Amino acid sequence: MLETDKILEELALIKDLKGLENFFDKYLGKKWLLNEEFKKMTTLSIEEKKEYGKVLSDAKTIMTDAYEIKEQWLSIDSINEKLREDIVDISLEGKKIEQWSFNLITRVRRDLEEAARTMWFMVESGNEVATKFQNFESVNIPLTHPATEMHDTIYLNEKDNSGEFLVLRTHTSALQNYMIKKYWVPLKVIIPWRCYRFDEMDANHDTMFFQFEGMYIDKWVSIANFKDVMEKFLSVMLKRKVEIRMRPGFFPFVEPGFEIDARYELVDRKTWEKSLSKWIELLWAGMVHPNVLKIAGVDPEEYSGFAFWPWINRLAAMRYGIKDIRYFTNGDLRFAKSFK
Ligand code: DAH
């Protein structure tokens, strides 16, 4: 007689896929025990055959099902076993990564860019190596101007196509002409970043420093537009309502030129009393000089515009209370880490 229970017990005790294979050969494969039992049926009467045939086929179904379930379990077990072998112990102490933060100038520059973007200015970096034409003449600074002398400008050994020595741009205004020619007018662009001068280093001067140029050229751009844009720009940048005042200033590439002071509302955290901050000089700016437009091929009768120059060091110093601009670039990690 077929002892299904015993066979199933045997199946339950199998621990690996190899054992299961043997089990299959023994009971369910070609030479399976059930076959023998089926053979025995030839000696039985028709009634007995019917009865025993059913017992055998039921047994076959039960055993096959049990076998398949067992096979699934063992396969999962073997996969898990492999995974356990391959496991990487991440609990081991690794190399500690220093917590970093952005340079303060970078943070201010990004805020300036963000504020300018909200007013649809595009951000362009431009080249740091400039021709003398770009750096001076294109922005209405004649080559006889003292700033072109060696003591101010850093010259390179390489020459441009006209045989003049190339320079490291001394101001971002050097890109005005290039941007007008590249994008033509109307134009709304900001050009942030590095400039170089042959300067004695002190708390306010460094050979490499940061500038940020803005320029807007279109038909009918007036001083009133300019004041409005500047007020909005500074308000977005400083995240509070800013009021500005304009004083005359001289820069060769603007006419009229302005020095712009800003002040904003202060709220006493204890009494909630409101007061106004001091006037702080924050921007240099002006209406783009007709010569600058002409040199770039733009008709000053048709187009006008303004250029502005937020004082990035002043803004950073104001926000973070820094007295010496050399801190921004001297790579002292203690300084960098103190502003998270
Ligand atoms: N380029 C000037 C400098 O480096 C700064 C400046 C002043 C830029 C007035 C401007 C401006 O666009 O309108 O000293």
Side-chain angles (χ1 to χ4, degrees), residues 170-173 176 197 209 211 213-214 251 253-254 258 284-286 307-309:
T170 60
H171 55 173
T172 41
S173 310
Q176 290 191 0
R197 280 185 204 177
F209 56 99
Q211 286 206 349
E213 189 89 6
F251 310 98
F253 31 86
V254 282
F258 305 109
W284 291 351
F308 59 102
W309 184 89

Side-chain angles (χ1 to χ4, degrees), residues 135-336:
N135 202 73
F136 303 115
E137 288 173 298
S138 78
V139 277
N140 204 32
I141 305 174
L143 289 182
T144 47
H145 194 281
T148 60
E149 297 283 322
M150 290 289 287
H151 65 263
D152 256 339
T153 310
I154 299 174
Y155 283 84
L156 302 182
N157 281 331
E158 286 75 23
K159 291 182 177 169
D160 65 18
N161 291 340
S162 64
E164 292 278 3
F165 283 108
L166 292 165
V167 301
L168 289 180
R169 67 180 183 195
T170 60
H171 55 173
T172 41
S173 310
L175 272 297
Q176 290 191 0
N177 177 275
Y178 177 83
M179 293 300 163
I180 300 175
K181 284 187 184 148
K182 181 168 176 191
Y183 294 107
W184 201 234
V185 286
L187 174 65
K188 252 181 149 179
V189 66
I190 56 164
I191 313 144
W193 234 214
R194 294 196 165 85
C195 294
Y196 305 82
R197 280 185 204 177
F198 196 68
D199 249 340
E200 194 93 20
M201 280 159 77
D202 63 25
N204 292 310
H205 299 87
D206 204 341
T207 42
M208 190 277 289
F209 56 99
F210 301 95
Q211 286 206 349
F212 187 105
E213 189 89 6
M215 192 165 62
Y216 176 30
I217 300 174
D218 205 343
K219 289 182 177 164
W220 320 113
V221 178
S222 66
I223 296 181
N225 297 140
F226 164 65
K227 181 165 187 274
D228 185 48
V229 172
M230 285 305 98
E231 237 161 27
K232 291 209 173 89
F233 175 70
L234 284 177
S235 300
V236 176
M237 158 69 198
L238 297 170
K239 300 186 176 69
R240 54 186 124 196
K241 179 126 186 45
V242 170
E243 190 189 330
I244 64 171
R245 102 181 153 187
M246 294 150 73
R247 291 176 288 110
F250 173 76
F251 310 98
F253 31 86
V254 282
E255 179 57 37
F258 305 109
E259 289 178 12
I260 298 179
D261 305 325
R263 71 173 175 188
Y264 46 85
E265 203 169 69
L266 295 167
V267 181
D268 189 304
R269 298 226 175 141
K270 282 191 192 126
T271 61
W272 298 108
E273 257 172 52
K274 290 181 179 166
S275 60
L276 284 168
S277 74
K278 286 192 305 199
W279 288 107
I280 308 163
E281 186 177 349
L282 280 186
L283 285 170
W284 291 351
M287 302 308 286
V288 177
H289 197 291
N291 284 352
V292 173
L293 294 173
K294 256 191 253 166
I295 295 168
V298 177
D299 181 0
E301 298 291 324
E302 200 182 351
Y303 284 93
S304 52
F306 57 80
F308 59 102
W309 184 89
W311 205 338
I312 199 162
N313 287 339
R314 176 65 61 83
L315 283 162
M318 197 176 107
R319 189 190 279 184
Y320 300 105
I322 313 300
K323 300 239 161 29
D324 187 331
I325 65 162
R326 285 170 294 186
Y327 276 121
F328 293 134
T329 46
N330 71 1
D332 187 339
L333 282 179
R334 288 168 308 174
F335 174 75

